[in-house]
Amino acid sequence: MRSKPTIIFMGTPEFARPSLERLIQADYPIPLVVTQPNRPSGRGQKLTPPVVKQLALQNNISVFQPESFRHDPAAIERLKKIPHDFLVVAAFGQILPPEVLNLPRVAPLNVHASLLPAYRGAAPIARAIIEGEQETGVSIQWMVEALDMGDILYQIPCRIEESDTSGSLHDRLSQMGAQALIHCLELFRQNKIHRKQQDARVGSYALKLRKEERQIDFHQPAVQLHRRIMGLNPWPMAECQWMGQRLRIIRANFVPRPSDAEPGTIVDVTPDQIVVACLDGCIGLLELQMENKNRLLTSEFLKAQPLRTGMILGGHRT
Amino acid sequence: MKAPCKISPSLLSADFANLESEMAQLDPSLVDYLHLDVMDGHFVPNITIGPDVVKAIASRTNIPLDVHLMIENPERYIKQFADAGAHIITVHAEAATHLQRCLQQIREFGCKAGVSLNPATPLEALHYVLEDSDLILLMTVNPGFGGQKFIPQMLQKIKDCVALIENRNIELEVDGGVKVSNIKSLYEAGARVFVSGSEIFSNPPYNDVIRRMRSVLCDR
């Protein structure tokens, strides 16, 4: 029996973890894990090692954390010294130059959280929710220098539920990504790989989320607002104004109830949701967080904050 | 956000003595349209090509032709450019006295009807022809010559134009100073079709520039 192919793994955040975990479990030799340098994170802005680094160290795998490969010949040299069959990249967060992509003996593979060619780019999960897609998925692509334009090797579709946030969808897709990756490596072993070329002219782009996008405008159709709120969770999290303070909307649902109230008006308060008028229809606020306070389910939130029917929440006119 | 980004390389910056070989260097799977600038020396201070050259170009490429008429009285020439093989014909709101009729005429000849505005022309000029338009071309430099710099105030105009279009099935194209370095901000503002001349044709290999333009939209 031939031994398993050697893999250099590149990844940084939570999305990459299941892929690395599955590779370790499946006994692929992984001589090196490459991840971003430790960055300040959390409330104390303490220097924190990436999730992937922690997992690698627990498994006695060497970790390499270069600032960038693009302007660092020494970093590329280090990879050259480690012969590898595959390079596996999952949410690494850096652009790789061709010198790196050409190193693996078999292929550089990438786990991408969309059904390419749809949602190429940085924020495929959130953008798919915001755009109201009912289905997304994961793709394994043969990386090329042009980002997310590589041949598609394997895909698994995934339904988007109305109750999905970017967070919950991310968790499912990261597992599916790992599954697709393992399957794809198996296809390589059996020599059954099919490369499906991408046409650059079709497909779409999922631009990175910007902080400013959290400001929501109630003068928008309720269906769209619901998607935005869910898509912006967990970052940057939707936000409106109430009593001069910022009110974060963690989760909401779509309430198919016509309303001719001024958008932003609270038209109903039930034990577990605050119903707010939008351009057409309403949304129900299910989980909220006041500035500098804890996140609360609406039932709890209402005990502390006197929100009543007829009050108006401030949005941000776009 | 869902709409793809389309690239329309402008032959204005290509080598006019070797148009065929210039076109042949473009990978048709990377390019959506081929932008042809027709100038008459009246509407703009430069003269370029006419229907015969457009026809010759059409005979040598399968890329849909995006013909931009920077000419006075465009209604007099619609038929000729349609017959020459144009896929989209775009006229200037400032140049067509009977703009609505002109746009209808373009559609009657089986082409997509585009309407273009110079940088200083307000979007109000479009209000009553939205239903007659398949494409809006915002000039982001003053038309006439290639290689000019993008006018920064046009970013707001693009955003305002997106709001004007609403959910209508109209493509929003920008022309002038489009580069790898600013295509992302133009896309974010809402433009979806990008005309680019000197950026592509001054930096061979052309396909690499187009790939870079698409890649920056994926940048993490």
Side-chain angles (χ1 to χ4, degrees):
Chain A
M1 204 188 80
R2 268 193 312 175
S3 61
K4 292 215 166 180
T6 303
I7 293 173
I8 289 187
F9 185 87
M10 295 189 182
T12 302
E14 202 50 49
F15 183 80
R17 188 177 33 185
S19 290
L20 180 56
E21 260 168 4
R22 292 285 292 270
L23 290 174
I24 295 170
Q25 279 164 14
D27 278 329
Y28 281 96
I30 307 171
L32 186 70
V33 163
V34 183
T35 188
Q36 297 246 26
N38 301 356
R39 307 267 188 225
S41 88
R43 301 204 65 167
Q45 290 288 294
K46 269 199 305 201
L47 271 187
T48 315
V51 178
V52 160
K53 178 178 181 179
Q54 298 168 28
L55 178 64
L57 293 179
Q58 283 158 16
N59 289 278
N60 299 316
I61 302 172
S62 336
V63 174
F64 179 35
Q65 296 177 277
E67 266 307 326
S68 160
F69 280 103
R70 276 205 282 195
H71 311 289
D72 188 355
I76 297 174
E77 279 309 308
R78 171 142 185 207
L79 293 188
K80 269 191 193 157
K81 290 198 186 103
I82 306 168
H84 52 290
D85 299 297
F86 291 96
L87 175 69
V88 171
V89 182
F92 178 46
Q94 277 186 25
I95 294 171
L96 297 171
E99 298 93 293
V100 171
L101 298 178
N102 291 334
L103 288 178
R105 281 188 291 242
V106 184
L109 303 181
N110 170 244
V111 187
H112 183 81
S114 78
L115 296 175
L116 290 170
Y119 300 101
R120 299 184 178 108
I125 302 175
R127 295 295 178 197
I129 293 186
I130 293 171
E131 293 295 335
E133 299 293 342
Q134 290 178 352
E135 190 186 71
T136 183
V138 290
S139 304
I140 307 295
Q141 59 170 330
W142 188 304
M143 288 182 85
V144 291
E145 194 188 359
L147 285 170
D148 294 335
M149 227 92 84
D151 292 354
I152 298 162
L153 304 177
Y154 190 66
Q155 294 185 312
I156 306 180
C158 170
R159 240 188 87 78
I160 300 181
E161 308 293 339
E162 288 231 338
S163 58
D164 262 321
T165 59
S166 290
S168 64
L169 185 56
H170 163 281
D171 293 349
R172 287 209 300 290
L173 290 177
S174 64
Q175 293 295 338
M176 289 176 130
Q179 191 189 331
L181 172 65
I182 297 290
H183 185 82
C184 195
L185 290 167
E186 187 55 27
L187 289 177
F188 269 104
R189 194 184 65 81
Q190 300 171 359
N191 231 335
K192 282 189 186 155
I193 213 78
H194 293 286
R195 300 175 67 157
K196 200 176 98 199
Q197 213 188 335
Q198 279 196 57
D199 186 333
R201 296 169 300 174
V202 297
S204 55
Y205 294 90
L207 295 191
K208 213 185 314 199
L209 292 173
R210 284 171 299 113
K211 216 173 177 183
E212 306 83 72
E213 289 182 67
R214 68 186 169 183
Q215 301 285 354
I216 65 163
D217 175 10
F218 289 105
H219 294 77
Q220 272 183 2
V223 183
Q224 283 181 24
L225 264 177
H226 164 242
R227 292 170 189 159
R228 267 200 58 188
I229 291 167
M230 302 304 262
L232 295 174
N233 175 343
W235 192 91
M237 212 64 104
E239 187 180 293
C240 64
Q241 276 71 41
W242 184 57
M243 307 251 288
Q245 284 190 299
R246 300 199 305 204
L247 175 62
R248 278 179 159 184
I249 305 172
I250 313 291
R251 282 184 309 117
N253 62 5
F254 169 60
V255 182
R257 179 198 299 186
S259 161
D260 47 17
E262 170 68 8
T265 309
I266 297 175
V267 293
D268 198 3
V269 179
T270 72
D272 56 2
Q273 69 175 357
I274 297 167
V275 183
V276 184
C278 306
L279 190 61
D280 60 353
C282 300
I283 55 169
L285 312 182
L286 302 174
E287 196 176 346
L288 295 159
Q289 181 178 21
M290 281 301 284
E291 215 173 318
N292 307 320
K293 295 271 168 44
N294 290 332
R295 179 185 290 202
L296 295 170
L297 288 174
T298 295
S299 51
E300 293 300 308
F301 187 87
L302 285 167
K303 290 178 188 164
Q305 304 288 345
L307 279 160
R308 299 283 174 269
T309 303
M311 289 178 172
I312 295 180
L313 299 176
H316 176 85
R317 272 325 280 271
T318 43
Chain B
M1 191 64 57
K2 255 168 79 178
C5 124
K6 296 189 176 179
I7 309 273
S8 187
S10 169
L11 283 189
L12 182 62
S13 305
D15 178 357
F16 270 16
N18 293 292
L19 285 179
E20 187 173 8
S21 71
E22 292 280 75
M23 285 190 287
Q25 289 178 52
L26 296 167
D27 175 350
S29 78
L30 286 174
V31 169
D32 297 274
Y33 303 133
L34 203 55
H35 191 84
L36 303 179
D37 291 300
V38 175
M39 306 185 187
D40 67 351
H42 290 274
F43 181 68
V44 287
N46 195 3
I47 302 178
T48 55
I49 59 174
D52 290 341
V53 177
V54 172
K55 193 172 178 181
I57 290 171
S59 72
R60 304 298 165 93
T61 181
N62 292 323
I63 303 172
L65 301 184
D66 168 20
V67 177
H68 179 193
L69 302 184
M70 284 167 268
I71 61 176
E72 302 274 10
N73 306 116
E75 58 281 351
R76 287 162 48 191
Y77 300 95
I78 302 301
K79 184 174 187 308
Q80 290 184 57
F81 284 102
D83 290 346
H87 177 75
I88 303 167
I89 298 180
T90 299
V91 296
H92 269 264
E94 303 90 347
T97 316
H98 304 290
L99 178 61
Q100 198 265 350
R101 182 196 289 156
C102 189
L103 293 168
Q104 277 190 332
Q105 217 184 336
I106 296 172
R107 281 183 173 173
E108 276 163 23
F109 284 114
C111 299
K112 298 228 169 176
V115 54
S116 181
L117 298 183
N118 285 334
T121 308
L123 291 172
E124 276 65 39
L126 300 173
H127 266 140
Y128 304 104
V129 293
L130 288 171
E131 311 308 328
D132 303 289
S133 307
D134 301 302
L135 177 143
I136 292 172
L137 170 55
L138 295 182
M139 290 308 301
T140 43
V141 298
N142 289 297
F145 303 95
Q148 300 185 68
K149 267 215 179 99
F150 179 83
I151 301 172
Q153 300 91 295
M154 293 301 107
L155 217 46
Q156 188 59 45
K157 190 172 182 181
I158 296 168
K159 290 179 190 166
D160 294 342
C161 192
V162 172
L164 180 70
I165 292 173
E166 286 182 318
N167 295 321
R168 291 181 184 86
N169 191 15
I170 297 178
E171 293 197 284
L172 180 52
E173 182 175 39
V174 289
D175 181 2
V178 175
K179 292 180 172 302
V180 173
S181 59
N182 64 5
I183 195 167
K184 191 168 182 174
S185 57
L186 298 171
Y187 186 93
E188 264 183 300
R192 287 296 177 267
V193 186
F194 302 90
V195 179
S196 184
S198 55
E199 177 82 339
I200 293 175
F201 289 98
S202 319
N203 298 296
Y206 308 152
N207 294 324
D208 284 3
V209 183
I210 300 167
R211 278 194 205 95
R212 276 206 295 283
M213 287 181 163
R214 292 181 183 278
S215 275
V216 291
L217 298 175
C218 297
D219 215 341
R220 275 128 245 247

